[in-house]
Amino acid sequence: MNSFSYNKAYDVAEAVADIQEHEQGKFIAGGTNLLDLMKENVMKPDHLTDINRLDLADITENEDGGLRLGALVTNADTAWNVLVEQRYPLLSKAILAGASPQLRNMATNGGNLFQRTRCYYFYDTTTACNKREPGSGCSAINGINRIHAILGTSMQCIATHPSDMCVALAALDAKVNISGPNGDRTLEFADLHRLPGNTPHLDTNIAQGELVTSIDLPPGNFTKNTFYLKVRDRQSYAFALVSVAAALDMDGDVIRDIRVAMGGVAHKPWRRRDVEQSYIGKVASTENFRELAETMLTGAVGFGGNTFKIALAKKAIVRALNEALKTGENL
Amino acid sequence: MKTQYIGKPVSRVDGLAKVTGSAKYSADFKVEGMLYGYIVSSGIAKGRIVSIDVSEAMSLKGVLQVFTHENVSGLPWFSIKYKDMDAPTGSPFRPLHDDKIVYSGQPIALVVAETFELARYASSLIHVEYQEETFTTDLVENLGNSYKAPSGKIGFVQPKSRGNAEEAYEQAEFKMSGTYQHGAEHHNPMELFSTTAIWENEKLTVYDKTQGVSNCQFYIGNVFGLAYKDVRIISPYVGGAFGSGLRPQYQLFMAVLAALELKRPVKVGLTRQQMFTFGHRPVTMQNVALSASADGTLESIKHEAYSETSRFENYTEIIVNWSGTMYNCDNVKLKYDLVGLDMYTPVDMRAPGAVTGAHAIESAMDELAHELKMDPLIFRLKNYADEDQTEGKPFSSKELIACYREGAEKFGWTKRSIEPRSMREGNQLIGWGVATAAWDAFQMPCRAKALLSIDGKLAVSSGTSDIGTGTYTIMTQIAAESLGLKIEDVAFKLGDTNMPLAPLEGGSWTAASVGAAVKGVCEDVKKKLAKMAVKTKNSPFYNADTKDISFDSGMLSDMNDGSKTISVVDLMRLAGVNSIEETSTSGPNPINKMKYTFNSHAAVFAEVKVDEDLGIVRVTRVVCAVAAGKILNPKTARSQILGGVVWGISKALEEESKMDHQYGRFMNHNLSEYHVPVNKDINDIEVIFVEEKDDIVNPLGIKGVGEIGIIGVAGAIANAVFHATGVRVRNLPITLDKVLQIAEDDHNQVSV
Ligand SMILES: Cc1cc2nc3c(=O)[nH]c(=O)nc-3n(C[C@H](O)[C@H](O)[C@H](O)COP(=O)(O)OP(=O)(O)OC[C@H]3O[C@@H](n4cnc5c(N)ncnc54)[C@H](O)[C@@H]3O)c2cc1C
Ligand code: SF4
């Protein structure tokens, strides 16, 4: 770990101003990811702006009927929030599928968005990694890549975004509210995370020093038929090999609206609105789900260790959609 | 004498100290003026250090020294001086000896500073320039360079073949053959290795995490040229070790080096990442071929194993020998080879070799039973070995049939349908598997001391260790029972070279070895007390026969006349004796050892549910029936078996240190990515101890339970997965991609 300076901010403006004074400053929230990375010398911020005292720890109702999740609400408090459970059960399920209770108690919603990949090479400074050290190469492509991406990869990086929460947020068309030195702005969730391309060191479209203040969830009808399927190597406390956030808005057995987002398969939560739309008005049948899954996976490429994910992801989509259908029956 | 403590579920005597935090582990010892060391590890697998620039690190205020091969001198040149008691044959690794890098993660520098944080920060400022050389770390790629495993490591026995397995295999009606493999594993005890070394008045005191204080004393004495009597190693509590603490680890060397040079106390601990840099369960490839006649009689067993080792030491374990003793068979061909690779030497890990071998032979037995369309349990019974055919000796006791019977009954085995894929619940395929386990019941020479004080308190000690197994507790029980004292009046101490010599804590021999010594020394004290009772005037036993005296609850009483009693305390007072001290040695009976084979056994039954679409395997039920002689404490023994079963599940489904052969480096070196089971992975586990009387194995009739619990589990689960799915995964861990047969390297799977 390097040496760094530290300051606790008490409001958003102070936090944004504080971090501007340092070239390599980082916000620290729960610290569950940042501290590990610092201890491994993967991230070496010269300054930490502690944002835990900011007044961003509430979940409130928006005028449009949606919810606003403060950036500092913990993952646990978000998942167990009654309004979230009622209106966005998919989000609750996704969060609870992640990490462990201890971690969820510390982890914040803001931090979850910016957690970094779990690629082994990214974490080990003795190896080549374009994400950690641009231009050094990607060890995973010819290395141990069982946990790596199959969609949207580049020859520069095949890492995945490891979050579960983000997969549900992507499915639910969330928006991210940001404060920065140049004022406030709002990003569609789909525009938050990036594909690796030639700039794998950039995970997101947030600029250095920009602070996420909250996440907005639009009002929606995905309250009944939702399911978060996480396929992993043990029953808990493991990142997804493949995960699927599935939500259906049903009119009898006809699909009124549908959302399918995948985790563990790409550098960002993977969604195909075009594919989803082509199933609106169709019958919710295993056959249709299979077809949808096939299309979702078009363009998927394996790198040896992770090639199984292509077939697995298809099965997982079908299972998740069928379970989402069933969930409704039980209500 | 009536049994009061032996065989009773006495709670851990050290439990309170552990849960309240007063039990001190090696990293908990703090002394004034202590410095902290942080170890720098090599980033390459093989080559030379061209330069190592420590100037930036040294320039920090509070950094006292950076030790590297460039400034460490005066240590023995001959590597024999670095041999510890558990060293395999070869030439042990010498930390900071020269510029050569022989494995990835090798310690190449030690930064010593006033604080841990500073030492760690300084370590990131050390710049190393390497000259890399080509290396190879892939066992399968290097099978062509295998060589016969040499003898020389303590406990290793060369495999013995018999009959003509090749010919029998050719002629047999039913046969199978398969290649089994498992990945590397690291012990990863919760407690990290840590050492605090204090050099004071020309004497060295060391707090260390180890499974053998005397081994560390021996090693440090030899390496640093100190008289053994001037080296004291203390290790009262060990937070798990599983074999990783059998050999002195390099933080011990580092802490002592720095303490001697800087003349200040130094603490050096390893990080979790560094816990992957000093020995592991070796990757092993095994070829097994079995054949049988139509009635299920085994005609031949062929079992060969290829294991990785380092380039400098020949780590050996007993893998294939088990195939020669587990079943009755006249034609057995065994082979065990090593392959030297550019990595650190493997080190014993819970049930070394047996876990590996049992996975292969027990899967193979299941495969052949399937060919024969025979129930795999009946197939095993059909070929039951009543005696040890390898050595031509009877077993001192072997209640394996009782394990099969009681285990099967508890599990409900008779309800199993024989066909694979014949049991399901919705999209969950259900499978039941069985496997056998065997392990040695060793006893080693051991010394113990007993001190009975005038207040009636007994202190017993022996320089063994308690790695969480319950040694403190069972030794207290044995001592209390042997001397007829109340358990509250007995304290057992361990983990100090000032105490009488005990063997390394491993091999499941501690209960028997230390137990015999404790029993022996307490019996000596008892004899002294009896003698005192008949020789002391005014004692109610004056001039009586010592044979008539019984000991119970701190009282001596007459076996024929219950009213004639005296307490131990009163007797000592009467005799004017302040304390009684005895030290004695006990060891195995060499004649019995020649005449009999000593083994513990177990039968493991497992149920799995496999998601048909997603390949996810869950172990929903395990029954482990164990025959291990007399069970001293069913509570601590059960915990041992539970832990073994959990680890077996881990091995079967989750655990693997993933080596990247591009770098020759284990990559998933943290507990987030190195998977062991979490609570949710573990369901019903039932432990049965079958009755097994054994007057031959040792005076207490015990066989040890530390390893027997893990041995059969992976085989039973692999067999259950086959029964559920019809897919035979021969490569551990059985991850969902292998079950779905969509893994890239699916040459290791066969489906029916
Ligand atoms: C062992 C382990 C297992 C895990 N398993 C899972 C899992 O299965 N699924 C899953 O989804 N997650 C998992 N996690 C990740 C966990 O969810 C994240 O570590 C956590 O959400 C990060 O939140 P934090 O508040 O601790 O972030 P921090 O560590 O404090 O920060 C993370 C990053 O976000 C930035 N940041 C924080 N808040 C803001 C903000 N408001 N605006 C801008 N930038 C900000 C920080 O600067 C930093 O770069 C696991 C973590 C661990 C350690
Ligand atoms: S996949 Fe990305 S994060 Fe992993 S080694 Fe390659 S560049 Fe680095």
Side-chain angles (χ1 to χ4, degrees):
Chain A
M1 195 187 263
N2 60 324
S3 65
F4 54 88
S5 54
Y6 168 91
N7 185 34
K8 199 177 271 177
Y10 288 85
D11 62 45
V12 170
E14 188 194 343
V16 170
D18 182 60
I19 207 158
Q20 298 310 319
E21 288 165 30
H22 306 270
E23 220 168 289
Q24 315 260 6
K26 280 273 157 202
F27 296 118
I28 182 160
T32 60
N33 191 217
L34 185 57
L35 287 179
D36 279 358
L37 289 161
M38 287 171 67
K39 284 193 237 171
E40 298 292 316
N41 292 317
V42 177
M43 289 174 78
K44 298 180 180 177
D46 60 352
H47 178 77
L48 291 184
T49 303
D50 187 336
I51 56 173
N52 285 290
R53 294 299 159 89
L54 306 192
D55 188 16
L56 300 171
D58 290 315
I59 294 179
T60 52
E61 295 196 64
N62 285 339
E63 275 173 17
D64 63 0
L67 286 184
R68 173 161 292 184
L69 313 175
L72 287 170
V73 185
T74 66
N75 283 176
D77 286 346
T78 307
W80 298 114
N81 179 283
V82 182
L83 293 174
V84 174
E85 282 181 312
Q86 280 168 1
R87 297 185 199 171
Y88 308 99
L90 182 62
L91 180 61
S92 283
K93 291 173 196 173
I95 292 174
L96 295 177
S100 66
Q102 295 91 328
L103 281 159
R104 294 193 297 264
N105 285 340
M106 280 305 287
T108 64
N109 291 337
N112 196 306
L113 308 181
F114 300 106
Q115 62 173 299
R116 309 215 60 189
T117 185
R118 290 284 160 173
C119 171
Y120 307 141
Y121 304 95
F122 177 69
Y123 268 84
D124 188 330
T125 53
T126 66
T127 65
C129 168
N130 286 328
K131 184 180 280 298
R132 180 169 28 78
E133 212 181 305
S136 63
C138 170
S139 299
I141 287 185
N142 295 310
I144 306 170
N145 52 37
R146 188 168 172 275
I147 62 174
H148 287 72
I150 49 172
L151 286 161
T153 52
S154 75
M155 290 317 274
Q156 306 298 314
C157 179
I158 59 170
T160 61
H161 190 260
S163 170
D164 290 297
M165 175 176 166
C166 289
V167 182
L169 291 176
L172 294 168
D173 275 342
K175 289 187 174 57
V176 181
N177 298 315
I178 300 159
S179 282
N182 307 320
D184 296 350
R185 65 180 181 126
T186 296
L187 263 184
E188 294 292 333
F189 201 82
D191 298 329
L192 177 64
H193 296 102
R194 298 164 58 97
L195 289 180
N198 287 325
T199 52
H201 59 291
L202 301 176
D203 291 353
T204 68
N205 289 316
I206 295 271
Q208 160 69 14
E210 281 192 312
L211 177 78
V212 166
T213 52
S214 63
I215 300 163
D216 280 341
L217 291 165
N221 295 321
F222 299 108
T223 52
K224 259 169 86 179
N225 296 106
T226 65
F227 196 78
Y228 189 76
L229 175 65
K230 184 169 178 183
V231 184
R232 49 186 147 177
D233 280 325
R234 59 182 169 192
Q235 298 288 308
S236 170
Y237 196 51
F239 290 93
L241 291 168
V242 166
S243 70
V244 180
L248 289 158
D249 178 15
M250 297 299 299
D251 179 8
D253 54 6
V254 172
I255 299 171
R256 197 184 298 143
D257 197 0
I258 178 170
R259 300 286 166 83
V260 181
M262 279 190 282
V265 295
H267 203 254
K268 60 187 289 188
W270 194 258
R271 239 188 104 186
R272 289 279 302 274
R273 186 61 189 153
D274 56 330
V275 179
E276 291 169 3
Q277 268 165 346
S278 65
Y279 285 85
I280 291 176
K282 290 197 179 158
V283 173
S285 67
T286 299
E287 211 166 294
N288 277 335
F289 293 162
R290 276 211 189 109
E291 216 185 81
L292 177 148
E294 281 298 326
T295 327
M296 285 278 297
L297 268 297
T298 41
V301 189
F303 295 86
N306 67 348
T307 309
F308 73 97
K309 283 190 179 185
I310 302 173
L312 180 66
K314 293 176 190 171
K315 290 169 190 248
I317 291 173
V318 176
R319 171 68 66 81
L321 284 166
N322 272 324
E323 291 293 331
L325 263 188
K326 266 197 246 162
T327 322
E329 283 163 21
N330 297 340
L331 284 175
Chain B
M1 185 184 58
K2 66 175 199 246
T3 287
Q4 269 193 311
Y5 301 113
I6 291 186
K8 295 286 160 60
V10 175
S11 291
R12 283 171 191 265
V13 295
D14 50 342
L16 186 72
K18 282 186 174 172
V19 299
T20 54
S22 65
K24 278 192 168 184
Y25 293 80
S26 63
D28 298 333
F29 290 94
K30 286 201 178 65
V31 269
E32 212 169 306
M34 190 165 77
L35 300 170
Y36 294 81
Y38 195 86
I39 295 168
V40 181
S41 310
S42 160
I44 66 162
K46 193 173 185 177
R48 280 184 51 241
I49 299 172
V50 177
S51 70
I52 181 158
D53 180 1
V54 303
S55 53
E56 206 182 335
M58 283 297 289
S59 72
L60 293 178
K61 192 168 167 284
V63 173
L64 278 91
Q65 180 60 295
V66 179
F67 293 93
T68 70
H69 70 281
E70 289 180 350
N71 60 14
V72 170
S73 60
L75 296 179
W77 198 86
F78 289 106
S79 72
I80 184 123
K81 287 279 186 189
Y82 287 76
K83 251 191 173 5
D84 66 276
M85 296 168 175
D86 193 39
T89 60
S91 168
F93 171 68
R94 285 163 285 176
L96 309 185
H97 177 71
D98 56 21
D99 61 354
K100 288 201 184 62
I101 303 290
V102 293
Y103 73 98
S104 180
Q106 172 179 326
I108 54 171
L110 173 74
V111 186
V112 184
E114 296 285 354
T115 68
F116 167 75
E117 289 76 10
L118 188 59
R120 180 172 61 180
Y121 171 50
S123 76
S124 72
L125 303 177
I126 292 174
H127 307 287
V128 190
E129 199 190 314
Y130 301 102
Q131 183 176 40
E132 285 194 64
E133 286 166 29
T134 52
F135 58 87
T136 177
T137 50
D138 190 338
L139 173 76
V140 178
E141 260 181 23
N142 290 281
L143 287 175
N145 300 325
S146 77
Y147 58 95
K148 182 170 179 271
S151 299
K153 184 174 187 292
I154 291 171
F156 178 66
V157 181
Q158 288 290 351
K160 290 183 196 151
S161 299
R162 57 177 179 263
N164 189 336
E166 299 290 355
E167 198 181 298
Y169 186 80
E170 282 314 311
Q171 286 166 9
E173 210 176 323
F174 291 89
K175 48 187 97 175
M176 66 66 61
S177 70
T179 298
Y180 302 86
Q181 212 182 311
H182 66 81
E185 289 172 73
H186 283 86
H187 311 67
N188 274 311
M190 281 301 281
E191 185 201 12
L192 304 167
F193 276 85
S194 171
T195 305
T196 304
I198 304 156
W199 176 246
E200 216 173 34
N201 308 325
E202 304 297 299
K203 284 192 193 308
L204 185 69
T205 305
V206 176
Y207 296 95
D208 193 32
K209 172 194 175 91
T210 173
Q211 287 173 261
V213 284
S214 49
N215 194 16
C216 294
Q217 182 188 43
F218 175 80
Y219 175 83
I220 290 300
N222 293 348
V223 170
F224 292 97
L226 300 169
Y228 300 142
K229 69 171 174 42
D230 293 334
V231 179
R232 181 177 178 197
I233 313 282
I234 303 171
S235 181
Y237 293 99
V238 175
F242 313 114
S244 62
L246 288 170
R247 301 189 69 183
Q249 297 309 354
Y250 61 76
Q251 90 291 340
L252 170 66
F253 171 94
M254 295 287 184
V256 172
L257 172 79
L260 293 179
E261 286 284 325
L262 302 173
K263 311 258 180 284
R264 277 181 65 181
V266 177
K267 180 192 299 217
V268 182
L270 300 187
T271 63
R272 181 57 67 184
Q273 284 70 14
Q274 287 167 338
M275 295 292 281
F276 289 76
T277 60
F278 57 78
H280 57 280
R281 195 192 291 287
V283 173
T284 301
M285 215 188 90
Q286 303 177 73
N287 299 317
V288 182
L290 305 179
S291 68
S293 56
D295 69 350
T297 306
L298 268 175
E299 297 291 348
S300 68
I301 298 174
K302 287 190 283 178
H303 187 174
E304 53 181 37
Y306 298 85
S307 278
E308 64 191 15
T309 187
S310 64
R311 296 240 185 242
F312 46 92
E313 283 174 317
N314 304 296
Y315 171 77
T316 52
E317 52 188 25
I318 294 179
I319 299 173
V320 296
N321 304 19
W322 297 105
S323 290
T325 46
M326 292 261 255
Y327 299 102
N328 213 50
C329 184
D330 293 335
N331 302 299
V332 177
K333 191 178 171 207
L334 306 175
K335 180 183 172 185
Y336 175 40
D337 271 15
L338 298 182
V339 177
L341 298 172
D342 296 303
M343 56 174 54
Y344 193 70
T345 314
V347 63
D348 288 328
M349 180 162 165
R350 205 170 191 178
V355 157
T356 303
H359 162 236
I361 189 74
E362 287 303 290
S363 299
M365 286 295 283
D366 197 70
E367 295 197 34
L368 190 53
H370 177 72
E371 294 298 323
L372 287 157
K373 300 206 179 341
M374 218 171 154
D375 179 284
L377 183 54
I378 293 174
F379 181 47
R380 284 172 172 81
L381 285 165
K382 172 93 190 166
N383 295 288
Y384 193 81
D386 282 314
E387 65 164 45
D388 173 1
Q389 258 186 309
T390 308
E391 300 293 335
K393 294 196 277 196
F395 293 102
S396 63
S397 62
K398 179 177 178 181
E399 294 296 341
L400 177 59
I401 289 190
C403 295
Y404 286 140
R405 189 182 349 105
E406 290 180 38
E409 202 171 308
K410 186 104 232 167
F411 190 82
W413 183 260
T414 50
K415 293 194 214 86
R416 179 180 185 269
S417 65
I418 195 157
E419 272 306 301
R421 286 186 86 87
S422 58
M423 294 165 30
R424 68 157 69 223
E425 258 169 28
N427 51 26
Q428 302 291 307
L429 302 169
I430 299 172
W432 290 0
V434 64
T436 314
W439 185 247
D440 283 308
F442 300 102
Q443 187 187 351
M444 299 285 167
C446 182
R447 287 170 68 73
K449 186 171 114 181
L451 176 70
L452 181 65
S453 319
I454 185 80
D455 58 359
K457 304 278 185 204
L458 176 71
V460 186
S461 59
S462 178
T464 181
S465 77
D466 185 338
I467 58 172
T469 47
T471 311
Y472 275 112
T473 309
I474 58 173
M475 294 309 149
T476 309
Q477 285 174 265
I478 293 171
E481 178 105 8
S482 304
L483 203 42
L485 295 178
K486 291 187 181 152
I487 203 160
E488 311 83 87
D489 291 332
V490 178
F492 180 73
K493 292 264 178 283
L494 52 71
D496 190 331
T497 46
N498 281 357
M499 294 172 186
L501 187 69
L504 284 170
E505 200 287 345
S508 294
W509 59 56
T510 298
S513 313
V514 185
V518 167
K519 183 175 153 79
V521 77
C522 289
E523 244 133 50
D524 289 349
V525 173
K526 197 154 101 180
K527 270 186 216 137
K528 261 200 175 166
L529 280 171
K531 226 185 230 165
M532 194 183 287
V534 300
K535 290 228 167 109
T536 308
K537 277 189 194 149
N538 301 330
S539 147
F541 298 96
Y542 185 56
N543 276 338
D545 190 339
T546 53
K547 285 201 202 78
D548 292 335
I549 304 175
S550 75
F551 289 75
D552 194 7
S553 302
M555 303 292 291
L556 289 75
S557 34
D558 191 318
M559 287 194 247
N560 310 311
D561 174 3
S563 66
K564 218 161 121 186
T565 61
I566 186 168
S567 72
V568 168
V569 174
D570 289 345
L571 175 64
M572 285 172 76
R573 256 190 220 132
L574 211 56
V577 171
N578 264 325
S579 64
I580 301 174
E581 187 180 315
E582 285 290 328
T583 303
S584 80
T585 308
S586 63
N589 177 329
I591 296 168
N592 284 352
K593 223 177 149 181
M594 260 161 56
K595 288 207 306 212
Y596 298 93
T597 294
F598 303 149
N599 278 177
S600 54
H601 293 91
V604 185
F605 298 82
E607 175 184 85
V608 299
K609 293 192 176 161
V610 184
D611 188 301
E612 193 179 4
D613 303 318
L614 305 175
I616 299 166
V617 180
R618 283 178 308 136
V619 178
T620 43
R621 230 153 40 90
V622 176
V623 174
C624 185
V626 179
K630 179 154 188 67
I631 300 303
L632 291 171
N633 181 332
K635 196 170 180 178
T636 52
R638 178 173 176 274
S639 296
Q640 280 300 298
I641 303 300
L642 285 179
V645 171
V646 170
W647 207 348
I649 293 172
S650 183
K651 182 176 179 56
L653 302 181
E654 301 184 7
E655 197 167 337
E656 181 175 17
S657 299
K658 295 175 184 169
M659 166 71 85
D660 181 328
H661 300 300
Q662 300 173 107
Y663 292 105
R665 188 173 176 87
F666 292 111
M667 289 309 304
N668 55 336
H669 42 44
N670 58 66
L671 289 185
S672 169
E673 299 301 334
Y674 182 84
H675 283 181
V676 297
V678 294
N679 205 28
K680 224 172 163 186
D681 292 320
I682 302 303
N683 297 292
D684 221 18
I685 301 174
E686 190 102 35
V687 179
I688 299 169
F689 290 109
V690 308
E691 189 74 29
E692 187 174 69
K693 278 218 158 49
D694 195 328
D695 300 329
I696 301 165
V697 64
N698 53 50
L700 286 156
I702 58 182
K703 290 183 174 175
V705 291
E707 351 242 336
I708 189 68
I710 184 177
I711 294 167
V713 181
I717 291 171
N719 296 340
V721 169
F722 173 77
H723 185 235
T725 61
V727 177
R728 177 67 66 179
V729 182
R730 294 186 179 132
N731 191 341
L732 301 181
I734 305 172
T735 47
L736 57 92
D737 43 331
K738 296 179 191 168
V739 176
L740 291 175
Q741 294 185 287
I742 46 183
E744 175 202 28
D745 56 338
D746 55 4
H747 58 268
N748 286 307
Q749 290 109 50
V750 259
S751 92
V752 287

